[in-house]
Amino acid sequence: MTIIPKFQEITLPMLKLASDGQVWSLADAREELAKHFQLTEEELEELLPSGRQARFANRVAWAKVYLERGGILSSSKRAHFQITERGREVLQDPPEEISIKFLSQYPEFQEFRSRSSKISEGGSDDETTDTPEETLESGYLTIRKNLAAEVLERVKSCSPRFFEHLVVDLLLKMGYGRAGGGSGERVGQSGDEGIDGIISEDRLGLEMVYLQAKRWEGTVGRPEIQKFVGALHGKRARKGVFITTGTFSADAASYVQTIDPKVALVDGKQLADYMIDFGLGVSLARAYEVKRIDTDYFEE
């Protein structure tokens, strides 16, 4: 199985492309490099965790940047490049890989790294195989994963009554009820017939979403879901959401795909992710903006 090459594995093949002396567009280079590495469509479409850029495209772009900073490629216009005299010299006796360590022999690259790099804890940045975006997103995902675990533990430690209020608040945060002028309320109590909350999606209450909240450690199986579906039938309801701090069995997940009313299952991991995404029970600690050059501004 082909693995998407790291950006330092792309640098030498990119330089060899430019050995013809022509001006290459980044788009044409990506296409040729994809053929060189025999990448599949699936691999070419794999996105960074942010979902905003293809991983391979990101690595090709950074391979170009690093070669330019080392004076091996030059760029006369945006998203284009061509070989320099230094690049031709490199190809006369090419290394196995044009790595960060190799590029560090050039003063221009040393200056670039001293301005823009951050040495990661536990190792030299000469050893990195990730692009800056990948490093940033990897750090973000680690922070988010730890936060999600902490959120879920806090939710598990709260009272059943608080948890019922929480799931109602979450659905409202997600836009259910408010978009159509509706509302939400906790109704969990003795004799609630398995309904812990209700979201009214419109002012007249014609569209209702019924909720069940189970603050469980274990796995919720099909029998529990069937009880909830029975309660929905008793309300003549068409929509239900079953939220648990635990997990759902495969049988429970397959069961809800075949029934009417529609029932959405939200397990503990999804619950924590939704709370983070919609700002429930969490607050902003710090924000970073990643900006790009505005080429339009510099047009003369």
Side-chain angles (χ1 to χ4, degrees), residues 256-269:
V256 297
Q257 302 300 317
T258 62
I259 60 171
D260 191 21
K262 293 181 179 179
V263 175
L265 304 181
V266 178
D267 64 17
K269 181 180 182 303

PDB file of all heavy atoms in Angstrom, residues 256-269:
ATOM      1  N   VAL A 256     -31.470   1.085  14.845  1.00  0.00           N
ATOM      2  CA  VAL A 256     -32.072   2.395  14.579  1.00  0.00           C
ATOM      3  C   VAL A 256     -32.047   2.764  13.095  1.00  0.00           C
ATOM      4  O   VAL A 256     -32.715   3.718  12.673  1.00  0.00           O
ATOM      5  CB  VAL A 256     -31.375   3.512  15.398  1.00  0.00           C
ATOM      6  CG1 VAL A 256     -31.548   3.279  16.880  1.00  0.00           C
ATOM      7  CG2 VAL A 256     -29.906   3.644  15.024  1.00  0.00           C
ATOM      8  N   GLN A 257     -31.274   2.004  12.292  1.00  0.00           N
ATOM      9  CA  GLN A 257     -31.247   2.273  10.858  1.00  0.00           C
ATOM     10  C   GLN A 257     -32.478   1.735  10.137  1.00  0.00           C
ATOM     11  O   GLN A 257     -32.730   2.098   8.985  1.00  0.00           O
ATOM     12  CB  GLN A 257     -29.985   1.642  10.237  1.00  0.00           C
ATOM     13  CG  GLN A 257     -28.679   2.125  10.833  1.00  0.00           C
ATOM     14  CD  GLN A 257     -28.483   3.613  10.677  1.00  0.00           C
ATOM     15  OE1 GLN A 257     -28.759   4.180   9.624  1.00  0.00           O
ATOM     16  NE2 GLN A 257     -27.993   4.261  11.730  1.00  0.00           N
ATOM     17  N   THR A 258     -33.247   0.888  10.828  1.00  0.00           N
ATOM     18  CA  THR A 258     -34.342   0.191  10.152  1.00  0.00           C
ATOM     19  C   THR A 258     -35.717   0.556  10.684  1.00  0.00           C
ATOM     20  O   THR A 258     -36.705  -0.075  10.303  1.00  0.00           O
ATOM     21  CB  THR A 258     -34.146  -1.334  10.296  1.00  0.00           C
ATOM     22  OG1 THR A 258     -34.183  -1.683  11.691  1.00  0.00           O
ATOM     23  CG2 THR A 258     -32.817  -1.769   9.709  1.00  0.00           C
ATOM     24  N   ILE A 259     -35.794   1.551  11.555  1.00  0.00           N
ATOM     25  CA  ILE A 259     -37.072   1.822  12.218  1.00  0.00           C
ATOM     26  C   ILE A 259     -37.604   3.202  11.870  1.00  0.00           C
ATOM     27  O   ILE A 259     -36.897   4.059  11.348  1.00  0.00           O
ATOM     28  CB  ILE A 259     -36.931   1.721  13.755  1.00  0.00           C
ATOM     29  CG1 ILE A 259     -35.902   2.752  14.267  1.00  0.00           C
ATOM     30  CG2 ILE A 259     -36.559   0.310  14.165  1.00  0.00           C
ATOM     31  CD1 ILE A 259     -35.854   2.871  15.775  1.00  0.00           C
ATOM     32  N   ASP A 260     -38.846   3.375  12.167  1.00  0.00           N
ATOM     33  CA  ASP A 260     -39.522   4.664  12.121  1.00  0.00           C
ATOM     34  C   ASP A 260     -40.236   4.773  13.469  1.00  0.00           C
ATOM     35  O   ASP A 260     -40.989   3.866  13.829  1.00  0.00           O
ATOM     36  CB  ASP A 260     -40.523   4.693  10.969  1.00  0.00           C
ATOM     37  CG  ASP A 260     -41.055   6.088  10.706  1.00  0.00           C
ATOM     38  OD1 ASP A 260     -40.398   7.054  11.118  1.00  0.00           O
ATOM     39  OD2 ASP A 260     -42.136   6.192  10.083  1.00  0.00           O
ATOM     40  N   PRO A 261     -40.003   5.760  14.275  1.00  0.00           N
ATOM     41  CA  PRO A 261     -39.397   7.064  14.021  1.00  0.00           C
ATOM     42  C   PRO A 261     -37.864   7.045  13.874  1.00  0.00           C
ATOM     43  O   PRO A 261     -37.220   6.052  14.172  1.00  0.00           O
ATOM     44  CB  PRO A 261     -39.781   7.861  15.273  1.00  0.00           C
ATOM     45  CG  PRO A 261     -39.853   6.805  16.337  1.00  0.00           C
ATOM     46  CD  PRO A 261     -40.444   5.597  15.676  1.00  0.00           C
ATOM     47  N   LYS A 262     -37.370   8.197  13.415  1.00  0.00           N
ATOM     48  CA  LYS A 262     -35.925   8.347  13.296  1.00  0.00           C
ATOM     49  C   LYS A 262     -35.317   8.578  14.669  1.00  0.00           C
ATOM     50  O   LYS A 262     -35.791   9.414  15.434  1.00  0.00           O
ATOM     51  CB  LYS A 262     -35.594   9.541  12.388  1.00  0.00           C
ATOM     52  CG  LYS A 262     -36.004   9.340  10.934  1.00  0.00           C
ATOM     53  CD  LYS A 262     -35.615  10.549  10.094  1.00  0.00           C
ATOM     54  CE  LYS A 262     -36.009  10.330   8.635  1.00  0.00           C
ATOM     55  NZ  LYS A 262     -35.646  11.513   7.805  1.00  0.00           N
ATOM     56  N   VAL A 263     -34.255   7.825  14.953  1.00  0.00           N
ATOM     57  CA  VAL A 263     -33.576   7.952  16.249  1.00  0.00           C
ATOM     58  C   VAL A 263     -32.083   8.145  16.006  1.00  0.00           C
ATOM     59  O   VAL A 263     -31.452   7.356  15.299  1.00  0.00           O
ATOM     60  CB  VAL A 263     -33.803   6.706  17.124  1.00  0.00           C
ATOM     61  CG1 VAL A 263     -32.987   6.806  18.412  1.00  0.00           C
ATOM     62  CG2 VAL A 263     -35.289   6.550  17.452  1.00  0.00           C
ATOM     63  N   ALA A 264     -31.524   9.208  16.578  1.00  0.00           N
ATOM     64  CA  ALA A 264     -30.087   9.462  16.512  1.00  0.00           C
ATOM     65  C   ALA A 264     -29.454   9.015  17.820  1.00  0.00           C
ATOM     66  O   ALA A 264     -29.989   9.283  18.897  1.00  0.00           O
ATOM     67  CB  ALA A 264     -29.817  10.946  16.264  1.00  0.00           C
ATOM     68  N   LEU A 265     -28.320   8.321  17.708  1.00  0.00           N
ATOM     69  CA  LEU A 265     -27.588   7.847  18.886  1.00  0.00           C
ATOM     70  C   LEU A 265     -26.323   8.685  19.056  1.00  0.00           C
ATOM     71  O   LEU A 265     -25.543   8.857  18.119  1.00  0.00           O
ATOM     72  CB  LEU A 265     -27.202   6.373  18.737  1.00  0.00           C
ATOM     73  CG  LEU A 265     -28.338   5.383  18.459  1.00  0.00           C
ATOM     74  CD1 LEU A 265     -27.783   3.962  18.374  1.00  0.00           C
ATOM     75  CD2 LEU A 265     -29.428   5.476  19.521  1.00  0.00           C
ATOM     76  N   VAL A 266     -26.112   9.196  20.258  1.00  0.00           N
ATOM     77  CA  VAL A 266     -24.918   9.997  20.561  1.00  0.00           C
ATOM     78  C   VAL A 266     -24.213   9.347  21.747  1.00  0.00           C
ATOM     79  O   VAL A 266     -24.744   9.332  22.865  1.00  0.00           O
ATOM     80  CB  VAL A 266     -25.294  11.456  20.892  1.00  0.00           C
ATOM     81  CG1 VAL A 266     -24.039  12.256  21.246  1.00  0.00           C
ATOM     82  CG2 VAL A 266     -26.033  12.105  19.728  1.00  0.00           C
ATOM     83  N   ASP A 267     -23.009   8.811  21.505  1.00  0.00           N
ATOM     84  CA  ASP A 267     -22.272   8.177  22.597  1.00  0.00           C
ATOM     85  C   ASP A 267     -21.388   9.194  23.320  1.00  0.00           C
ATOM     86  O   ASP A 267     -21.377  10.389  22.970  1.00  0.00           O
ATOM     87  CB  ASP A 267     -21.458   6.983  22.085  1.00  0.00           C
ATOM     88  CG  ASP A 267     -20.366   7.386  21.093  1.00  0.00           C
ATOM     89  OD1 ASP A 267     -19.997   8.579  21.022  1.00  0.00           O
ATOM     90  OD2 ASP A 267     -19.866   6.491  20.375  1.00  0.00           O
ATOM     91  N   GLY A 268     -20.640   8.712  24.311  1.00  0.00           N
ATOM     92  CA  GLY A 268     -19.853   9.628  25.140  1.00  0.00           C
ATOM     93  C   GLY A 268     -18.829  10.423  24.361  1.00  0.00           C
ATOM     94  O   GLY A 268     -18.643  11.620  24.594  1.00  0.00           O
ATOM     95  N   LYS A 269     -18.144   9.774  23.433  1.00  0.00           N
ATOM     96  CA  LYS A 269     -17.125  10.465  22.645  1.00  0.00           C
ATOM     97  C   LYS A 269     -17.759  11.554  21.797  1.00  0.00           C
ATOM     98  O   LYS A 269     -17.261  12.685  21.722  1.00  0.00           O
ATOM     99  CB  LYS A 269     -16.377   9.471  21.760  1.00  0.00           C
ATOM    100  CG  LYS A 269     -15.276  10.101  20.922  1.00  0.00           C
ATOM    101  CD  LYS A 269     -14.573   9.057  20.065  1.00  0.00           C
ATOM    102  CE  LYS A 269     -13.433   9.691  19.267  1.00  0.00           C
ATOM    103  NZ  LYS A 269     -13.870  10.801  18.399  1.00  0.00           N
TER     104      LYS A 269
END
